[in-house]
């Protein structure tokens, strides 16, 4: 299945900590987590961290079991603890003066892990443990919420009560009280499976990635499901405070034909002003000559779960490469309502120790790119991150590699870092006009991006054509969906888009004398 390569990506860099501290732009960096010094063979899934009372509680798991550790905001270790036995662990919401946490152990003949829930005090001591072996909580480190003395854990369920095949994944929501008593459990229909003798039993995957607070004291369960035989698409389920379904909706930021997933490190949040939600993830939209790109994206949804806008994060395709992948992590909302998203190219990756945090306006326009540089790792793979109050410092967790100057692999540690500032920044101006001479040969600069059906876009070519041209719009399958005339205006070409143009990603092909002279990509969003 197509999610396997993402799990493989994280398993390429397993945790064997080595104690190093970066002095560059990082406030501090730690690679000595959990005592596995210089190990190259300890498999670690480093899930997440929790910031509370100016301290950081990190969590993860390895072949030796799950673990938690607590650091000060300056990176000083306060304590580290092993779990009772789970191979995966995560720090969830706070409770009183301690931490509510959860984890799991590999379940036989099932996908995922069985859930165990922990209440820790401020020193990391386990006060009580509750186990729910019937609940499968795959990606357990991503989904927990608390309200009114209740803890809500979202994951993959055992399909009980659904009447659907037990070999498929189902969304599930569990509610516990502060004593660890199970208040209720809800399993929800897999949206792909059809019931009845006429439908043969088959595996249909539905991955729950995030739980977000919804209006009217409800919850939004958001993930991705195998909508068609191969492709995945985003799927949202809104439930009330008792876990009863209110509504379900497929979300298609780039049309039904696109392959869209959130993966374990993508994000979702409810906007502070209550106007909707923002999600991040990966989308495979184009395949040219067998070469496929997996882009990152950020999309805003309104309260009815309709797509308002989406911003594509380009995945560059290197010469001679068959594929390209842009990793996109969680999205954060800054104090002024603008957005931040962590991202880096997996292939190609010219500077493996660097990653970016992109600044987006509330309307989804890219305004700034901040590049962060690890001084402790030769290859950094951030997975979780958080923007701290003041919007200038970030905390990042993940995995990485450390190599000698000769290229020898020294360690593959888990990694926790705090960055007070980027090593460099690039502001992205709003394009109002582009000088043709500034455009590389054969290229097209297209604006505005994204565009709206019926609107007009401008094309700036490296070499002006001196007259009208024809422009073709091609869909993700390479089919021509429109051909329009482009009139020269101020050294550029003005193209009126068809009013009925469907939202999605298009290839724009400029023709002169019947022959292609330049190409570009255009993202069209709903008006």
């Amino acid at each position: 299945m197509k999610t396997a390569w993402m799990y493989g990506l994280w398993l390429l860099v397993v945790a064997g900590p080595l104690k190093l501290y970066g002095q560059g732009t990082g406030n501090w960096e730690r690679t000595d987590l959990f005592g596995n010094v210089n190990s190259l063979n300890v498999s670690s899934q480093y899930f997440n961290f929790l910031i509370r009372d100016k301290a950081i509680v990190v969590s993860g798991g390895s072949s030796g079991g799950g673990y938690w550790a607590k650091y000060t905001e300056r990176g000083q270790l306060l304590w580290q603890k092993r779990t009772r036995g789970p191979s995966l662990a995560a720090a969830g919401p706070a409770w009183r003066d301690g931490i509510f946490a959860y984890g799991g152990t590999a379940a036989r003949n099932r996908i995922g892990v069985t859930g165990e829930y922990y209440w820790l005090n401020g020193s990391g001591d386990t006060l009580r443990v509750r186990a729910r072996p019937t609940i499968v909580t795959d990606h357990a480190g991503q989904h927990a919420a608390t309200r009114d003395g209740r803890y809500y854990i979202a994951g993959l369920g055992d399909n009980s009560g659904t009447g659907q095949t037990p070999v498929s994944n189902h969304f599930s929501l569990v509610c516990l009280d502060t004593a660890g008593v199970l208040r209720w459990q809800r399993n929800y229909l897999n949206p792909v499976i059809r019931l009845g003798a006429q439908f043969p039993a088959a595996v249909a995957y539905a991955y729950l990635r995030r739980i977000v607070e919804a209006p009217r004291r409800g919850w939004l369960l958001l993930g991705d499901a195998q909508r068609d035989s191969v492709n995945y698409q985003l799927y949202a389920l809104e439930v009330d405070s008792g876990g009863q379904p209110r509504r379900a909706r497929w979300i298609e930021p780039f049309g039904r034909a696109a392959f869209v997933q959130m993966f374990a490190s993508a994000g979702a949040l409810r906007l502070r002003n209550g106007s909707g939600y923002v999600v991040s993830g990966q989308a495979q939209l184009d395949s040219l000559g067998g070469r496929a790109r997996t882009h990152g994206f950020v999309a805003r949804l309104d309260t009815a779960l309709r797509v308002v806008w989406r911003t594509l994060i380009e995945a560059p395709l290197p010469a001679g490469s068959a594929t390209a992948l842009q990793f996109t992590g969680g999205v954060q909302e800054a104090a002024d309502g603008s957005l931040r998203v962590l991202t880096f190219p997996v292939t190609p990756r010219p500077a493996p120790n660097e990653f970016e945090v992109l600044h987006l306006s509330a309307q989804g326009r890219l305004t700034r790119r901040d590049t962060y540089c690890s001084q402790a790792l030769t290859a950094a793979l951030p997975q979780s991150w958080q923007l701290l109050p003041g919007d200038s410092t970030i905390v990042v967790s993940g995995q990485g590699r450390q190599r000698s100057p000769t290229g020898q692999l020294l360690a593959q540690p888990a990694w926790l870092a705090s960055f007070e500032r980027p090593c460099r920044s690039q502001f992205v101006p709003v394009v109002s006009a582009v000088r043709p001479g500034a455009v590389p040969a054969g290229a097209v600069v297209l604006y505005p991006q994204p565009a709206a059906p019926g609107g007009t876009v401008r094309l700036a070519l490296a070499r002006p054509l001196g007259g009208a041209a024809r422009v073709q719009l091609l869909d993700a399958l390479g089919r021509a969906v429109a051909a329009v005339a482009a009139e020269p205006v101020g050294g550029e070409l003005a193209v009126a888009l068809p009013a009925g143009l469907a939202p999605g990603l298009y290839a724009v092909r400029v023709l002169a004398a019947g022959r292609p002279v330049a190409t570009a990509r255009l993202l069209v969003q709903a008006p």
Side-chain angles (χ1 to χ4, degrees), residues 19 23 41 70 123 204 244 434 456 517:
K19 188 172 184 178
Q23 301 298 324
N41 302 309
K70 186 175 183 179
S123 300
Q244 298 297 340
V434 179
T456 299
V517 295

Side-chain angles (χ1 to χ4, degrees), residues 257 287-288 472-483 501 505-509:
S287 180
L288 303 175
Q472 290 181 331
L473 298 179
L474 311 178
D475 64 14
L477 298 178
R479 299 172 299 193
V481 297
L501 192 61
L505 183 69
Y506 293 87
V508 177
R509 179 185 295 165

Side-chain angles (χ1 to χ4, degrees), residues 322-385:
T323 61
L325 167 63
Q326 186 79 23
F327 173 83
T328 302
V331 61
Q332 306 275 332
E333 184 179 12
D336 62 358
S338 61
L339 303 169
R340 309 283 190 272
V341 61
L342 185 148
T343 185
F344 62 86
V346 177
T347 54
R349 198 165 183 203
N353 70 319
E354 296 183 359
F355 62 94
E356 287 188 319
V357 172
L358 305 184
H359 295 230
L360 303 175
S361 70
Q363 293 74 40
R365 183 184 296 277
L366 177 62
T367 61
R368 176 174 154 188
R369 313 178 75 108
D370 286 340
T371 301
Y372 292 87
C373 311
S374 170
Q375 305 297 311
L377 300 173
T378 55
L381 291 177
Q383 183 171 1
S384 301
W385 79 289

Side-chain angles (χ1 to χ4, degrees), residues 236-511:
L237 175 66
E238 186 179 329
V239 301
D240 63 20
S241 58
Q244 298 297 340
R246 284 177 176 164
R247 58 177 170 171
R249 184 181 180 93
W250 289 99
I251 299 171
E252 301 174 345
F254 304 99
R256 181 163 180 169
F259 185 99
V260 180
Q261 285 189 285
M262 292 182 66
F263 298 117
S265 300
L269 60 85
R270 183 185 177 189
L271 294 169
R272 295 191 189 101
N273 62 11
S275 62
Y277 308 89
V278 177
V279 300
S280 63
Q282 284 75 30
Q284 191 175 103
L285 305 179
D286 51 348
S287 180
L288 303 175
R291 301 180 302 168
R293 290 179 175 88
T294 299
H295 308 263
F297 76 89
V298 180
R300 182 186 167 188
L301 314 177
D302 62 18
T303 55
L305 305 180
R306 296 171 299 197
V307 177
V308 178
W309 55 255
R310 53 262 186 205
T311 297
L312 198 66
I313 302 172
E314 181 68 20
L317 189 65
S321 174
T323 61
L325 167 63
Q326 186 79 23
F327 173 83
T328 302
V331 61
Q332 306 275 332
E333 184 179 12
D336 62 358
S338 61
L339 303 169
R340 309 283 190 272
V341 61
L342 185 148
T343 185
F344 62 86
V346 177
T347 54
R349 198 165 183 203
N353 70 319
E354 296 183 359
F355 62 94
E356 287 188 319
V357 172
L358 305 184
H359 295 230
L360 303 175
S361 70
Q363 293 74 40
R365 183 184 296 277
L366 177 62
T367 61
R368 176 174 154 188
R369 313 178 75 108
D370 286 340
T371 301
Y372 292 87
C373 311
S374 170
Q375 305 297 311
L377 300 173
T378 55
L381 291 177
Q383 183 171 1
S384 301
W385 79 289
Q386 185 169 331
L387 184 68
L388 299 188
D391 299 338
S392 60
T393 299
I394 65 171
V395 175
V396 183
S397 68
Q399 301 174 2
R401 288 179 176 175
Q402 295 168 330
R403 294 185 180 275
S404 70
T406 61
Q408 178 185 3
L409 183 62
L410 302 175
Q412 300 185 117
W415 172 56
L416 178 69
S418 172
F419 292 91
E420 293 177 333
R421 61 190 182 278
C423 55
R424 59 181 180 274
S425 295
Q426 176 188 356
F427 289 89
V428 181
V430 177
V431 178
S432 58
V434 179
R435 293 183 295 105
V439 183
V444 173
V445 171
L446 231 129
Y447 65 94
Q449 290 261 30
T456 299
V457 296
R458 300 290 187 97
L459 298 89
L461 282 76
R463 300 180 182 86
L465 299 178
R470 297 286 293 174
V471 171
Q472 290 181 331
L473 298 179
L474 311 178
D475 64 14
L477 298 178
R479 299 172 299 193
V481 297
V484 295
E487 299 294 333
V489 176
E492 301 173 353
L493 294 176
V495 180
L497 301 177
L501 192 61
L505 183 69
Y506 293 87
V508 177
R509 179 185 295 165
V510 181
L511 305 174

